[in-house]
Each structure stands twice: as structure tokens, then as C-alpha cells.
Amino acid sequence: MNPISQENADVNTAIDAELQLMDPAVRASRSLAARLLDPEFVEVGASGRRWTYEEMLAALPDLDGGGGGGEDGPRFEPSRMGGVVLAPGIVHLTYETDFGGRRARRSSLWRRRDGETGWRMYYHQATPVPAGD
């Protein structure tokens, strides 16, 4: 595979994984979410709170978009998602979400370590979008 095709494949794989993390069924399952989060994962949420891997896995089912809302509960609606390969094994995604009228701009770093086949979210940042923006 040529380098550009490989970069596109890596970005698309990271996008697919990011979308999986928005699925209420994945958010409700510690084992499914754990496969998508890097053990060194850190998030700075839209609230400003800092989350670690263990904190996120424990809280994810009860957070917005989690399984507690059921199949018909509110979901994150992503838009304008795109990404770039920053270095071999590192993909940076940016996009916006709407959750019940609350919008956020989001940025995620996904990494694939040597010897691993799957991509995992290493870092995530959410910033609220001001009303009217």
C-alpha cells in the first residue's frame, strides 16, 4: 500500500473507532470501551474535568450518551469529522458534536503501538461552543 493510501486507511480506522465510542452500547460496556481506550488515556472534558483511563471506564455508562438512556436516549451527533496522520502510529481527529443542543469542538489523538494491530484513543479534549457561534 502506498503511503497516502495507508494514511487514509489509518485516519478512517481512527474515525470508525471514534464513532464506536459514541455508541451507547459501547459506552455501556467496560470491555468494549477498554479495547478502544489506551491504558495511558487522558481526557479533558467539556466541563474542564480531567479523566484517566480507569475513571473514564468506570463513569462512561453514566455519562451523556451512555447506555443509561437506552436505545432511544439522546446520542452525540458528530459533524465535520476529519483527521491527519501526525507521525507513524499517531492520528489526530477533529470534529464537532451536538448533544441535546449542547455543542462542543473535539480533538482526539489515536495511537497504535508497535506490535499492536488496533488503534486506541490516547487523548481527548472537548471544548464547549459558545451560544451563537
Side-chain angles (χ1 to χ4, degrees):
M1 186 177 294
N2 73 46
I4 292 184
S5 295
Q6 184 59 56
E7 286 186 8
N8 288 338
D10 290 346
V11 168
N12 288 334
T13 300
I15 288 172
D16 288 344
E18 186 90 32
L19 294 172
Q20 287 177 49
L21 277 171
M22 290 183 218
D23 182 328
V26 172
R27 296 172 77 82
S29 168
R30 182 181 177 97
S31 64
L32 292 175
R35 283 188 264 173
L36 295 169
L37 296 179
D38 190 276
E40 296 177 7
F41 170 81
V42 173
E43 175 175 328
V44 178
S47 67
R49 178 175 174 176
R50 182 181 184 277
W51 299 85
T52 64
Y53 175 79
E54 285 298 330
E55 291 169 336
M56 183 56 70
L57 288 177
L60 199 56
D62 298 320
L63 294 175
D64 287 344
E71 285 297 314
D72 297 326
R75 295 174 177 246
F76 285 97
E77 298 295 332
S79 62
R80 302 190 325 199
M81 190 175 285
V84 297
V85 173
L86 298 178
I90 304 286
V91 171
H92 180 218
L93 300 181
T94 57
Y95 61 102
E96 290 189 15
T97 57
D98 185 295
F99 185 85
R102 292 189 331 250
R103 293 177 43 223
R105 292 192 177 101
R106 297 181 178 270
S107 175
S108 297
L109 291 176
W110 287 82
R111 76 176 177 179
R112 185 181 61 218
R113 293 184 183 194
D114 289 339
E116 292 184 4
T117 57
W119 288 87
R120 293 180 171 211
M121 183 184 284
Y122 173 73
Y123 180 81
H124 184 78
Q125 171 88 39
T127 304
V129 176
D133 192 4

